[in-house]
Amino acid sequence: MAPDASDWVELVDGDLSVAAADTWVRRPGAGAVVTFSGLVRDVSDGRDEPVTALEYETHEPLALARMRQVVAEIRRRWPDVAAVAMLHRLGRAEVSDPVVVVSVSSPHRAEAFAAAQFGIDALKVSVPLYKRDIWSTGAAWSATTQDAVDVPHG
Amino acid sequence: MARLILLGPAREVAGCREDVIRAPDVAGVLEQARERYGSAFAELLAHSRVWRNGILARDEDLVTDQDEIAVVPPISGG
Protein backbone atom coordinates (compact mmCIF):
# COMPACT_ATOMS: atom_id res chain seq x y z
CA MET A 1 0.00 0.00 0.00
CA ALA A 2 1.54 3.30 -1.06
CA PRO A 3 1.42 5.95 1.64
CA ASP A 4 -0.71 8.97 0.77
CA ALA A 5 0.35 12.56 1.26
CA SER A 6 -0.21 12.89 4.99
CA ASP A 7 -0.59 9.45 6.55
CA TRP A 8 1.03 6.08 6.11
CA VAL A 9 -0.85 3.19 7.74
CA GLU A 10 0.29 -0.32 6.91
CA LEU A 11 0.53 -3.89 8.12
CA VAL A 12 3.88 -5.23 7.00
CA ASP A 13 4.54 -8.92 6.41
CA GLY A 14 8.32 -8.78 6.73
CA ASP A 15 10.99 -6.42 8.00
CA LEU A 16 9.77 -3.10 9.37
CA SER A 17 11.94 -0.06 8.67
CA VAL A 18 11.88 2.43 11.53
CA ALA A 19 14.15 4.72 9.53
CA ALA A 20 11.77 4.72 6.55
CA ALA A 21 8.87 5.90 8.72
CA ASP A 22 11.01 8.49 10.49
CA THR A 23 12.18 9.88 7.16
CA TRP A 24 8.79 9.71 5.45
CA VAL A 25 7.05 12.00 7.98
CA ARG A 26 9.46 14.89 7.28
CA ARG A 27 7.63 17.93 5.91
CA PRO A 28 8.86 21.44 5.10
CA GLY A 29 6.89 23.01 7.97
CA ALA A 30 7.73 20.34 10.54
CA GLY A 31 10.56 21.08 12.95
CA ALA A 32 10.04 17.99 15.09
CA VAL A 33 9.76 14.26 14.51
CA VAL A 34 9.04 11.80 17.31
CA THR A 35 9.29 8.13 16.39
CA PHE A 36 8.30 5.37 18.76
CA SER A 37 9.41 1.85 17.90
CA GLY A 38 8.39 -1.25 19.81
CA LEU A 39 10.80 -4.22 19.71
CA VAL A 40 10.61 -7.92 20.46
CA ARG A 41 11.94 -8.64 23.96
CA ASP A 42 13.40 -11.96 25.06
CA VAL A 43 11.06 -11.99 28.04
CA SER A 44 7.30 -12.39 28.15
CA ASP A 45 5.29 -11.71 31.28
CA GLY A 46 4.10 -14.92 32.88
CA ARG A 47 6.61 -17.14 31.08
CA ASP A 48 9.82 -18.52 32.60
CA GLU A 49 11.65 -19.51 29.43
CA PRO A 50 13.29 -16.84 27.28
CA VAL A 51 11.26 -15.87 24.23
CA THR A 52 13.14 -16.32 20.97
CA ALA A 53 10.58 -14.78 18.61
CA LEU A 54 7.03 -13.45 18.33
CA GLU A 55 4.50 -14.16 15.63
CA TYR A 56 1.66 -11.71 14.86
CA GLU A 57 -1.63 -12.23 13.07
CA THR A 58 -4.86 -10.36 12.49
CA HIS A 59 -7.73 -9.85 10.07
CA GLU A 60 -6.15 -7.09 8.03
CA PRO A 61 -9.22 -5.01 7.06
CA LEU A 62 -10.38 -4.79 10.69
CA ALA A 63 -6.92 -3.93 12.02
CA LEU A 64 -6.25 -1.33 9.32
CA ALA A 65 -9.63 0.31 9.92
CA ARG A 66 -8.82 0.67 13.62
CA MET A 67 -5.32 1.99 12.90
CA ARG A 68 -6.83 4.62 10.59
CA GLN A 69 -9.25 5.60 13.38
CA VAL A 70 -6.29 6.11 15.71
CA VAL A 71 -4.60 8.34 13.14
CA ALA A 72 -7.85 10.28 12.62
CA GLU A 73 -8.07 10.84 16.37
CA ILE A 74 -4.46 12.09 16.41
CA ARG A 75 -5.37 14.63 13.73
CA ARG A 76 -8.49 15.70 15.62
CA ARG A 77 -6.57 16.22 18.88
CA TRP A 78 -3.45 17.79 17.39
CA PRO A 79 -4.47 19.66 14.23
CA ASP A 80 -0.92 20.99 13.75
CA VAL A 81 0.50 17.49 13.22
CA ALA A 82 2.04 17.37 9.75
CA ALA A 83 2.31 13.65 9.02
CA VAL A 84 1.76 10.32 10.76
CA ALA A 85 3.21 6.91 9.97
CA MET A 86 1.75 3.93 11.84
CA LEU A 87 3.12 0.53 10.86
CA HIS A 88 2.75 -2.87 12.50
CA ARG A 89 4.43 -6.08 11.56
CA LEU A 90 2.71 -9.38 10.84
CA GLY A 91 4.28 -12.82 10.87
CA ARG A 92 7.41 -13.85 12.71
CA ALA A 93 9.82 -11.35 14.28
CA GLU A 94 13.06 -12.14 16.14
CA VAL A 95 14.38 -10.62 19.38
CA SER A 96 15.19 -6.90 18.94
CA ASP A 97 13.30 -6.67 15.64
CA PRO A 98 10.91 -3.71 15.51
CA VAL A 99 7.27 -4.81 15.36
CA VAL A 100 5.48 -1.47 15.61
CA VAL A 101 6.39 2.08 14.59
CA VAL A 102 4.50 5.30 15.27
CA SER A 103 6.19 8.34 13.78
CA VAL A 104 4.75 11.86 13.99
CA SER A 105 5.98 15.17 12.62
CA SER A 106 4.77 18.59 13.71
CA PRO A 107 5.97 22.20 13.79
CA HIS A 108 7.19 21.87 17.41
CA ARG A 109 8.12 18.96 19.64
CA ALA A 110 5.29 19.05 22.20
CA GLU A 111 2.56 17.92 19.78
CA ALA A 112 4.82 15.29 18.23
CA PHE A 113 5.66 13.73 21.62
CA ALA A 114 2.03 13.79 22.74
CA ALA A 115 0.64 12.47 19.46
CA ALA A 116 3.18 9.64 19.19
CA GLN A 117 2.48 8.53 22.75
CA PHE A 118 -1.26 8.65 22.16
CA GLY A 119 -0.80 6.72 18.91
CA ILE A 120 1.00 3.75 20.43
CA ASP A 121 -1.17 3.72 23.57
CA ALA A 122 -4.38 3.78 21.50
CA LEU A 123 -3.07 1.10 19.13
CA LYS A 124 -2.35 -1.23 22.01
CA VAL A 125 -5.87 -1.00 23.47
CA SER A 126 -7.97 -0.81 20.31
CA VAL A 127 -6.37 -2.55 17.31
CA PRO A 128 -7.11 -6.29 17.00
CA LEU A 129 -3.63 -7.83 16.77
CA TYR A 130 -2.53 -11.16 18.26
CA LYS A 131 0.92 -12.36 19.14
CA ARG A 132 2.24 -15.80 19.86
CA ASP A 133 5.29 -16.20 22.07
CA ILE A 134 7.81 -18.62 20.60
CA TRP A 135 10.52 -20.19 22.76
CA SER A 136 13.00 -23.02 22.24
CA THR A 137 10.59 -25.82 23.07
CA GLY A 138 7.16 -24.42 22.29
CA ALA A 139 4.80 -21.61 21.37
CA ALA A 140 1.61 -20.13 22.82
CA TRP A 141 -0.59 -17.08 22.58
CA SER A 142 0.72 -14.18 24.61
CA ALA A 143 -0.52 -14.11 28.21
CA THR A 144 -0.40 -10.31 28.17
CA THR A 145 -3.72 -9.31 26.65
CA GLN A 146 -6.42 -6.71 27.16
CA ASP A 147 -10.02 -6.37 26.07
CA ALA A 148 -10.26 -4.48 22.79
CA VAL A 149 -11.87 -1.09 23.38
CA ASP A 150 -12.94 1.69 21.02
CA VAL A 151 -10.30 4.18 19.97
CA PRO A 152 -10.13 6.67 22.88
CA HIS A 153 -12.09 9.77 21.88
CA GLY A 154 -11.72 12.86 23.99
CA MET B 1 -26.82 -14.70 6.99
CA ALA B 2 -23.54 -13.20 8.05
CA ARG B 3 -19.86 -13.57 7.40
CA LEU B 4 -18.12 -14.59 10.62
CA ILE B 5 -14.53 -13.40 11.13
CA LEU B 6 -12.41 -15.24 13.69
CA LEU B 7 -9.31 -13.56 15.05
CA GLY B 8 -6.18 -14.95 16.70
CA PRO B 9 -7.02 -17.53 19.36
CA ALA B 10 -10.63 -17.68 18.07
CA ARG B 11 -9.28 -18.56 14.63
CA GLU B 12 -7.22 -21.31 16.21
CA VAL B 13 -9.95 -22.96 18.31
CA ALA B 14 -12.54 -22.67 15.52
CA GLY B 15 -10.14 -24.02 12.92
CA CYS B 16 -11.00 -21.38 10.30
CA ARG B 17 -10.48 -17.67 9.66
CA GLU B 18 -13.92 -17.04 8.20
CA ASP B 19 -17.23 -18.78 8.00
CA VAL B 20 -20.78 -18.13 6.84
CA ILE B 21 -23.63 -18.50 9.29
CA ARG B 22 -27.33 -18.18 8.58
CA ALA B 23 -29.12 -16.47 11.47
CA PRO B 24 -31.38 -13.45 11.93
CA ASP B 25 -29.36 -11.63 14.57
CA VAL B 26 -26.03 -11.53 16.38
CA ALA B 27 -27.22 -13.82 19.17
CA GLY B 28 -28.24 -16.42 16.60
CA VAL B 29 -24.88 -16.22 14.81
CA LEU B 30 -23.03 -16.75 18.09
CA GLU B 31 -25.29 -19.59 19.16
CA GLN B 32 -24.60 -21.45 15.94
CA ALA B 33 -20.89 -20.69 16.19
CA ARG B 34 -20.80 -22.24 19.68
CA GLU B 35 -22.53 -25.35 18.36
CA ARG B 36 -20.25 -25.54 15.34
CA TYR B 37 -16.89 -25.06 17.07
CA GLY B 38 -17.48 -26.58 20.51
CA SER B 39 -16.81 -25.82 24.15
CA ALA B 40 -13.28 -24.39 23.83
CA PHE B 41 -14.66 -21.80 21.43
CA ALA B 42 -17.64 -21.08 23.69
CA GLU B 43 -15.30 -20.44 26.59
CA LEU B 44 -13.14 -18.09 24.55
CA LEU B 45 -16.20 -16.32 23.17
CA ALA B 46 -17.32 -15.56 26.72
CA HIS B 47 -14.13 -13.49 27.15
CA SER B 48 -14.19 -11.90 23.69
CA ARG B 49 -15.71 -8.78 22.20
CA VAL B 50 -18.08 -9.22 19.29
CA TRP B 51 -18.08 -6.61 16.54
CA ARG B 52 -20.60 -6.05 13.79
CA ASN B 53 -18.92 -4.27 10.88
CA GLY B 54 -16.11 -3.10 13.15
CA ILE B 55 -18.37 -1.75 15.91
CA LEU B 56 -19.24 -3.38 19.23
CA ALA B 57 -22.35 -5.50 18.58
CA ARG B 58 -25.40 -6.20 20.70
CA ASP B 59 -27.10 -9.61 20.77
CA GLU B 60 -30.28 -8.20 19.28
CA ASP B 61 -28.57 -6.52 16.29
CA LEU B 62 -30.02 -7.90 13.05
CA VAL B 63 -27.61 -9.31 10.47
CA THR B 64 -27.82 -9.29 6.69
CA ASP B 65 -25.75 -10.90 3.93
CA GLN B 66 -23.50 -7.85 3.90
CA ASP B 67 -22.69 -7.93 7.61
CA GLU B 68 -19.43 -9.09 9.12
CA ILE B 69 -19.53 -10.40 12.67
CA ALA B 70 -16.06 -10.56 14.22
CA VAL B 71 -15.06 -12.51 17.32
CA VAL B 72 -12.33 -10.37 18.91
CA PRO B 73 -10.53 -12.07 21.81
CA PRO B 74 -8.42 -9.91 24.13
CA ILE B 75 -5.71 -8.25 22.01
CA SER B 76 -1.91 -8.25 22.26
CA GLY B 77 -0.55 -5.89 19.61
CA GLY B 78 2.60 -3.80 19.87
Side-chain angles (χ1 to χ4, degrees), chain A residues 64-140:
Chain A
L64 286 168
R66 279 292 171 105
M67 290 164 73
R68 291 194 192 101
Q69 287 176 26
V70 174
V71 172
E73 182 65 12
I74 286 175
R75 295 200 159 279
R76 206 185 63 76
R77 292 187 185 208
W78 295 279
D80 289 344
V81 160
V84 181
M86 178 177 284
L87 317 175
H88 199 291
R89 188 164 175 171
L90 297 178
R92 183 182 167 111
E94 312 296 324
V95 172
S96 295
D97 281 353
V99 292
V100 59
V101 180
V102 178
S103 196
V104 178
S105 63
S106 61
H108 305 288
R109 67 186 181 280
E111 312 94 291
F113 272 118
Q117 169 136 33
F118 173 84
I120 182 60
D121 290 350
L123 179 151
K124 287 193 72 100
V125 299
S126 69
V127 178
L129 290 155
Y130 297 91
K131 68 176 157 228
R132 287 174 74 80
D133 296 340
I134 298 169
W135 59 95
S136 59
T137 55

Side-chain angles (χ1 to χ4, degrees), chain A residues 11-67:
Chain A
L11 294 164
V12 180
D13 200 348
D15 288 347
L16 206 57
S17 172
V18 178
D22 188 88
T23 303
W24 184 84
V25 297
R26 293 178 192 176
R27 295 292 183 278
V33 170
V34 171
T35 295
F36 170 82
S37 58
L39 315 179
V40 177
R41 291 191 299 159
D42 68 355
V43 292
S44 183
D45 295 338
R47 224 173 281 299
D48 294 333
E49 288 199 66
V51 166
T52 56
L54 297 177
E55 196 169 33
Y56 286 89
E57 70 171 74
T58 187
H59 178 73
E60 293 193 30
L62 283 174
L64 286 168
R66 279 292 171 105
M67 290 164 73

Side-chain angles (χ1 to χ4, degrees), chain A residues 131-151:
Chain A
K131 68 176 157 228
R132 287 174 74 80
D133 296 340
I134 298 169
W135 59 95
S136 59
T137 55
W141 296 106
S142 170
T144 310
T145 61
Q146 53 199 318
D147 288 338
V149 299
D150 290 343
V151 175

